[in-house]
Amino acid sequence: MKTFCGRANTTTGALDWVEESEEYDYHQEIARSCYADMLHDHDRNEKYCQGIQAAVARVKARGEDVIVLDIGTGTGLLSMMAVSAGADVCYAVEVFKPMADAALSIVEKNGFSDKIKIINKHSTDVTVGPGGDMQTKANVLITELFDTELIGEGALPSYEHAHHNLVQEGCEAVPHRATVYAQLVESELLWNWARLQPVEVEGARLVPPPEVSRCAGSHSVCDIQLSQVSPRSFSPLGPVCPMFSVAFSEPVSSAFRSHSYQFAAQSGGRAQVVLSWWDLEMDPSGSIVCSMAPSWMYPEPKTAPWRDHWMQSVYFLPVDGRVTEGEELSLTVCRDDYSLWYSVRSHRQRDPQTVGPPSRPSCTCRAHLVWNRPRFGELNDRWRTESYVGALRSVLREDSVCLGISDGSLLPVFAHMLGAQKVYSLENSRMSKEVLEQLLEANSMTGGVELLKSRPEQLTSEDLEGRQISVLMGEPYFTTSLLPWHSLYFWYCRTALTGLLRPDVTVLPCSATLHALAVEFQDLWRIRAPCGTCEGFDVTPMDEMVQRSLEFQESREAEPHPLWEYPCRALTQSAAAMTFDFTQCVPENPVISEGSLPLTRIGRCHGVVLWMEYQLTEDVSVSAGLVQPVGDQGECEWSRHRKQGVYFLRSPWESSGDGRAAVSYSFTFEPSSGDIKMDFSVDPQ
């Protein structure tokens, strides 16, 4: 049996469905999973262990046998904790078969197979009674069903079903309770991820369409490592509010609920963003707490535990209303069975239409479907806009005929504002074309940019009214791009359009360079690090499964990560490993580049970061990776708008910093696929 997997095709800009063996999805999911991150999360494990020990002790004190139900057991770690604490039997439920197999191996390896039964089902399919999956209902319920939003993985329906069907009335639950916290803030940085802002170009003002300004935006949560957003980047308008709690030892409802918290505004400003996180109380007394609060909420930020499986949430309000200091406000959170959304209202409001819980926000302008949040931030980046406008200004002439190739780009609009004679823009997406039409209409530029719904290879001279292109421009940005070099689709477009370009055409950017830098990660290494033992339990079967999954892939590959959220130190100088000349066509034969990165700083080298830099003109360049030179101690500042590629070494390398050891690299650009094959090794010399 075969399965089909989506892969970005650099040569076509499309998402191709590639036929793979039926094991491919499983192996990919295991290889890319963050189970290692969870197993390395000592704070989480310790708090769960303490809560489980306390719950088992309370049941034993009542003279009862301890029957545990562990929903979403994963590696079986929590079940083993329960048996070690004295549980008589544990039913460990895991729906994902490869993980259920791994849990079975781990349980057997640790000698718990006589008391732990692995059930490879969704918990809602588990049966109780003679001949069923469970002999009797459990009196201890252990779960780890949470995501960054707490309820996004279906925790509430699972709890609801378990209380009705799988556990005894009055059961002990670990965790015992969860509490969601929120804080209302003003933040230009974060708000730029939600709305298109006005842009100044040559003294003219480009304003967003009214449809975009009025739109409530996307309802999906923005989950990030909030610890990496400096408190200087936002102004709190109110206190941290405990919005609602869920008691897991009692029957849980997945029905719609709304909760409000009243407070007086601590300062004046624009109510734009809600920052949110949650805590788990592992016992009824609340003495064992596992907190998801960002590090700047801790008295000593460096003591905050790092975790990537649970982060923090950013919610964008439907409108950025102004509040005054001392004003009485009501912050409301609504939840259904899988998601949350927020609204804020002043007590002075008397509009009867605002009475009742707010409806879930949804995009009506299409812009939030065309542009994701990092893309909004990129479009609103004033420095970046000035770089592109400056580059365009230097190449445009009164008779310039321009063609833009990027998804939902403003460059064609800028070219028109700068006085180009004629501007075209290729738009693959109907929705993107409609959003740009709204923008042009809102700024009285209808007809100023001709939007063509065509692929580059299908474009004809008739489409261009017999004109030849004198300026071919792109950012480049494409929604199908996952890794930095996927933007080389621009190069393939330029090649396909050769017959429509003037001999002296200006291509902007004129080239792109793939950069490489060997780094030591502060924490991100945990997602790929073997565990061996975890809290005293042997979990090597999971390590072995991940290793087999990596070997199952055709080759080691880089992964996309937004490194502004994951601090790292440079252990080498960055190297321009490959350069792609956009003034020429894509070559027919593979291009190979080899070199090395001497390790000149002391540290543990976890891998290599890869990114693209674009040379717009001879004097102007923009980076999708490092945005500042590496600091004296190896500090790195990464672009917030694009993900960088990360290639993890199979084993970390301890660098002495004397430059003798080096990370050797080999890159092969395959023109037929647009992919870059890579290999890295450490040469100790």
Side-chain angles (χ1 to χ4, degrees), residues 590-606:
V591 179
I592 300 174
S593 175
E594 297 179 341
S596 63
L597 302 166
L599 291 158
T600 55
R601 290 190 179 88
I602 297 173
R604 170 170 279 199
C605 181
H606 294 113

Side-chain angles (χ1 to χ4, degrees), residues 267-290:
S267 61
R270 303 200 70 84
Q272 298 172 323
V273 177
V274 174
L275 312 180
S276 183
W277 57 89
W278 44 267
D279 287 352
L280 294 177
E281 295 176 22
M282 297 298 184
D283 64 326
S285 68
S287 60
I288 308 170
V289 178
C290 185

Side-chain angles (χ1 to χ4, degrees), residues 24-214:
Y24 181 84
D25 281 340
Y26 283 164
H27 282 281
Q28 284 292 305
E29 188 163 345
I30 293 168
R32 296 291 187 235
S33 71
C34 291
Y35 282 103
D37 166 33
M38 291 186 281
L39 295 176
H40 280 294
D41 188 347
H42 177 69
D43 178 73
R44 162 195 176 271
N45 299 338
E46 182 182 47
K47 300 297 174 54
Y48 260 101
C49 187
Q50 292 172 355
I52 289 168
Q53 290 172 344
V56 170
R58 288 194 298 274
V59 174
K60 281 188 169 295
R62 298 199 294 263
E64 302 175 18
D65 289 343
V66 180
I67 305 165
V68 175
L69 172 62
D70 176 8
I71 301 179
T73 193
T75 60
L77 177 64
L78 303 186
S79 291
M80 292 189 294
M81 289 179 178
V83 172
S84 296
D88 296 284
V89 63
C90 182
Y91 299 103
V93 180
E94 174 57 52
V95 68
F96 183 43
K97 189 177 188 306
M99 278 309 307
D101 293 342
L104 182 61
S105 297
I106 292 170
V107 165
E108 290 177 348
K109 194 174 185 68
N110 287 274
F112 293 117
S113 55
D114 59 330
K115 289 193 174 183
I116 298 176
K117 179 182 179 182
I118 305 298
I119 303 173
N120 180 208
K121 289 185 175 182
H122 193 285
S123 64
T124 55
D125 296 325
V126 171
T127 57
V128 180
D133 300 305
M134 300 170 59
Q135 292 301 305
T136 184
K137 290 185 176 182
N139 52 17
V140 175
L141 175 59
I142 301 172
T143 61
E144 206 279 57
L145 300 172
F146 314 115
D147 68 347
T148 293
E149 204 173 15
L150 182 67
I151 64 174
E153 290 186 0
L156 296 181
S158 295
Y159 271 111
E160 188 173 40
H161 176 270
H163 274 286
H164 282 130
N165 301 280
L166 305 178
V167 299
Q168 302 173 21
E169 184 177 353
C171 75
E172 301 286 346
V174 182
H176 176 76
R177 179 186 296 107
T179 301
V180 173
Y181 296 89
Q183 186 172 37
L184 180 67
V185 304
E186 175 183 21
S187 173
E188 180 182 2
L189 170 69
L190 298 178
W191 190 245
N192 278 344
W193 296 352
R195 298 289 187 277
L196 186 65
Q197 306 299 325
V199 182
E200 299 289 337
V201 178
E202 297 290 285
R205 186 176 174 85
L206 183 70
V207 299
E211 297 90 339
V212 176
S213 300
R214 293 194 300 262

Side-chain angles (χ1 to χ4, degrees), residues 258-499:
S258 67
H259 310 268
S260 296
Y261 191 92
Q262 284 74 40
F263 60 91
Q266 295 176 345
S267 61
R270 303 200 70 84
Q272 298 172 323
V273 177
V274 174
L275 312 180
S276 183
W277 57 89
W278 44 267
D279 287 352
L280 294 177
E281 295 176 22
M282 297 298 184
D283 64 326
S285 68
S287 60
I288 308 170
V289 178
C290 185
S291 176
M292 304 309 120
S295 61
W296 35 260
M297 285 293 296
Y298 283 70
E300 297 183 22
K302 291 185 178 180
T303 65
W306 182 87
R307 46 178 68 96
D308 201 46
H309 50 283
W310 296 328
M311 294 186 281
Q312 294 80 37
S313 302
V314 174
Y315 298 90
F316 303 101
L317 294 175
V319 295
D320 60 336
R322 179 164 293 281
V323 301
T324 58
E325 184 176 356
E327 184 177 359
E328 291 295 322
L329 301 174
S330 178
L331 182 63
T332 297
V333 60
C334 298
R335 67 163 176 84
D336 55 19
D337 48 352
Y338 282 92
S339 60
L340 309 177
W341 60 95
Y342 283 85
S343 64
V344 66
R345 182 169 44 178
S346 168
H347 286 195
R348 294 181 299 177
Q349 288 180 300
R350 291 292 183 266
D351 185 352
Q353 294 182 351
T354 65
V355 176
S359 59
R360 179 206 298 268
S362 62
C363 176
T364 57
C365 71
R366 297 186 177 87
H368 299 90
L369 306 178
V370 170
W371 298 320
N372 61 22
R373 281 152 182 148
R375 180 60 171 163
F376 269 105
E378 189 168 47
L379 294 173
N380 289 326
D381 186 325
R382 287 189 289 271
W383 179 88
R384 179 180 173 281
T385 295
E386 290 170 3
S387 297
Y388 277 100
V389 169
L392 281 171
R393 186 191 306 113
S394 70
V395 303
L396 289 179
R397 303 291 180 266
E398 290 183 358
D399 61 348
S400 291
V401 178
C402 304
L403 175 63
I405 303 177
S406 281
D407 290 348
S409 175
L410 301 183
L411 292 194
V413 182
F414 297 158
H416 170 69
M417 297 174 74
L418 290 169
Q421 182 186 83
K422 184 66 180 180
V423 182
Y424 300 95
S425 179
L426 285 188
E427 295 296 333
N428 284 333
S429 162
R430 175 183 56 80
M431 218 178 311
S432 175
K433 182 173 180 288
E434 291 174 356
V435 170
L436 291 178
E437 285 172 345
Q438 293 174 11
L439 180 71
L440 293 169
E441 182 178 353
N443 290 275
S444 302
M445 297 181 189
T446 302
V449 178
E450 190 165 340
L451 305 174
L452 304 175
K453 182 70 173 65
S454 174
R455 298 188 59 79
E457 64 274 13
Q458 298 170 337
L459 198 67
T460 66
S461 179
E462 288 74 18
D463 295 322
L464 303 177
E465 303 162 295
R467 298 182 174 93
Q468 282 194 305
I469 301 302
S470 59
V471 177
L472 181 67
M473 57 190 176
E475 303 186 35
Y477 172 83
F478 304 102
T479 57
T480 55
S481 297
L482 301 176
L483 289 160
W485 44 94
H486 290 167
S487 61
L488 290 176
Y489 174 54
F490 177 79
W491 201 10
Y492 288 86
C493 294
R494 177 258 181 269
T495 302
L497 293 166
T498 298

